[in-house]
Amino acid sequence: MPGPVIIAVDGPAAAGKGTLARRLATALGLPYLDTGLLYRAVGRRVLDAGADPRDAAQAEAAARSLAPGDLDRGDLRGPMADMAASAVAAIPAVRAALLDFQRVFGRDHGAVLDGRDIGTVVFPDAPVKLFVTASVEERARRRFVELRGRGVAADPAQVEAEIRDRDAQDANRPVAPLKPAADALLLDTTALDADAAFAAAMVMVEGRLEKGGEGLCSSP
Ligand code: CDP
Ligand code: CDP
């Protein structure tokens, strides 16, 4: 009997991971987890305590006491929250504290998870790993349009600079850096809208699932 199907969707900021992962989950009837929200919620708790998100002890305590309600807060996005998430995400004890929750989420029924290290660390045996990218200019444009849609005034150059900084921080950290797994399928969405990206991803997913056949269980 094939085990639960795990689909890992990793990539840099504003590549369209969440939009794609959510649509894949709906199409395949799988639960969906936005793992970035976990790091965002930890970063927010540290900021709320008036502490520095780079403070390992504070951040670990926040990660260990994370409650489901913390993920539903409306203030987890925006430049401060983005950088706080990336800062706490570089702390090994924070990542360790969040690992079990992510693995348990996908263990019984499978799942689509999006983040930075799903295919490299959280579910290294996932049968389907997508690494979603787009040019930094296009990603900044998308994030800018998104912010404008939420009524947030932003400077396009500033949005691009923040995305570059965060990607560099995520890619250069020693623990679980942002990088494609060796067996990830690359999906460059620079010239694709969300519908075209979804269609391309479905072809990749179906190809991998057919090839994988048996033994889809990917608990590490
Ligand atoms: O999760 P991540 O930060 O990678 O990106 P997202 O929040 O899913 O997507 C950022 C924005 O890009 C959303 O407003 C999408 O509608 C848009 N978009 C996309 O997701 N995929 C494309 N191929 C093109 C645009
Ligand atoms: O939506 P966007 O791509 O801008 O960010 P996100 O996916 O919500 O992630 C926010 C931050 O959390 C990232 O910049 C990473 O530093 C961190 N993160 C991580 O380290 N590992 C994950 N699996 C997910 C997010």
Side-chain angles (χ1 to χ4, degrees):
M1 275 288 285
V5 175
I6 296 289
I7 299 186
V9 181
D10 291 306
K17 302 178 299 296
T19 304
L20 176 62
R22 200 172 276 114
R23 289 182 67 167
L24 288 174
T26 303
L28 299 166
L30 291 169
Y32 163 63
L33 181 64
D34 172 357
T35 66
L37 271 188
L38 302 172
Y39 295 92
R40 290 175 176 280
V42 172
R44 186 80 252 169
R45 291 191 64 158
V46 177
L47 290 176
D48 287 351
D52 185 330
R54 291 166 301 183
D55 181 323
Q58 291 273 354
E60 182 181 357
R64 292 200 177 281
S65 56
L66 207 61
D70 291 326
L71 305 183
D72 300 329
R73 296 177 52 154
D75 55 359
L76 299 180
R77 299 191 186 276
M80 276 279 276
D82 291 354
M83 283 316 273
S86 183
V88 300
I91 299 168
V94 168
R95 305 200 73 85
L98 299 179
L99 199 52
D100 267 4
F101 176 81
Q102 297 173 77
R103 288 182 173 162
V104 168
F105 185 90
R107 192 179 55 197
D108 294 335
H109 306 291
V112 183
L113 300 94
D114 84 287
R116 301 292 184 288
D117 65 336
I118 308 304
T120 51
V121 175
V122 183
F123 287 105
D125 298 331
V128 186
K129 299 178 186 178
L130 304 181
F131 194 84
V132 184
T133 61
S135 72
V136 68
E137 293 82 9
E138 172 61 13
R139 291 187 286 116
R141 191 193 64 77
R142 290 177 189 170
R143 189 52 40 97
F144 174 76
V145 169
E146 211 182 314
L147 287 167
R148 200 177 50 193
R150 296 198 339 245
V152 178
D155 167 31
Q158 184 76 31
V159 172
E160 184 176 322
E162 278 163 8
I163 282 188
R164 284 182 190 276
D165 284 354
R166 187 149 59 93
D167 285 350
Q169 184 160 293
D170 291 346
N172 293 321
R173 67 186 176 211
V175 56
L178 164 67
K179 66 164 186 213
D183 54 347
L185 296 164
L186 298 188
L187 178 57
D188 185 334
T189 70
T190 307
L192 304 180
D193 65 15
D195 287 345
F198 171 66
M202 276 302 280
V203 172
M204 292 174 161
V205 169
E206 281 163 1
R208 273 287 160 100
L209 290 181
E210 274 165 27
K211 219 170 80 185
E214 300 285 307
L216 295 175
C217 184
S218 43
S219 300

